Amino acid sequence: MTEETKQNPILKRLPIIIIGLVAVLGAFFLRDYLTFDALAENREALIEFRDANYLLTVLVFIAIYTVVVAFSLPGAAILTLTGGFLFMTFPGFVFNVIGATMGATAIFLAARWGFGKQLGAKLEGSEGMVKKIKDGIDENQWSMLFLIRLVPAVPFFLANLIPSFLEVPLRRFVISTFFGIIPGSVVYTSVGAGLGEVFAAGATPNLGIIFEPHILFPILGLCLLAALPILLKAVRGKKGL
């Protein structure tokens, strides 16, 4: 970072400003393109292109997924289904996780560069409950990072932004993101792998499948496992929780 960038708050916040602008424009202009109907209409052309250019299809797919997540564009769920439709559950979920992790890392770095350090310093210098909450998160970063990835109710973009404001190390963010999103990605990729039958029946996929008991309970079990260190510290009365 140059001295000019350090002194100019606009330049520091330029990446996150660009992401915000692209997200707004994308929500308006791309809403009709990254949809289930668009996937259904172009499924044959996509399969033909994949069969003729498998490696290129993988690279282009991961690149598109990265851009969609990095700029918070609409269509991440459809892309996850597409990953399963084109590449089956495996290795489709691997490609989905790689693209999502790369996109999440991009927005994490942009937010940290523009706001993270200043906000983190303010929280560190605060007193009372705010300081206790921050200290608690600092002491249980791995558990908290996995929790916000595993809990289906936490929006993906919030799980990308919150760690950037709390000075979470980049390596820790990347690792927890990659492994934390695997359960949900496997579920939705497997739904995408069955889209052939869905298309044949003229139906739409059930994206609420992750909340069905046989899917939700194992994920909640993983959440409990991730939260176990926090619960143990709470029971032992350790400081910072």
Side-chain angles (χ1 to χ4, degrees), residues 2 12 19 22 28 38 47 57 67 84 106 124 169 173-174 178 185 202 217 224 228 230 234 236-237 239:
T2 64
K12 288 183 63 177
I19 287 175
V22 173
F28 182 78
I47 290 175
T57 304
V67 170
E124 187 64 39
F173 174 83
V174 172
F178 185 89
S185 180
F217 288 161
L224 182 60
L228 190 58
I230 301 175
R236 293 171 182 170
K239 183 180 179 181

Side-chain angles (χ1 to χ4, degrees), residues 182-198:
I182 284 178
S185 180
V186 169
V187 172
Y188 284 123
T189 306
S190 66
V191 173
L195 281 183
E197 297 178 1
V198 175

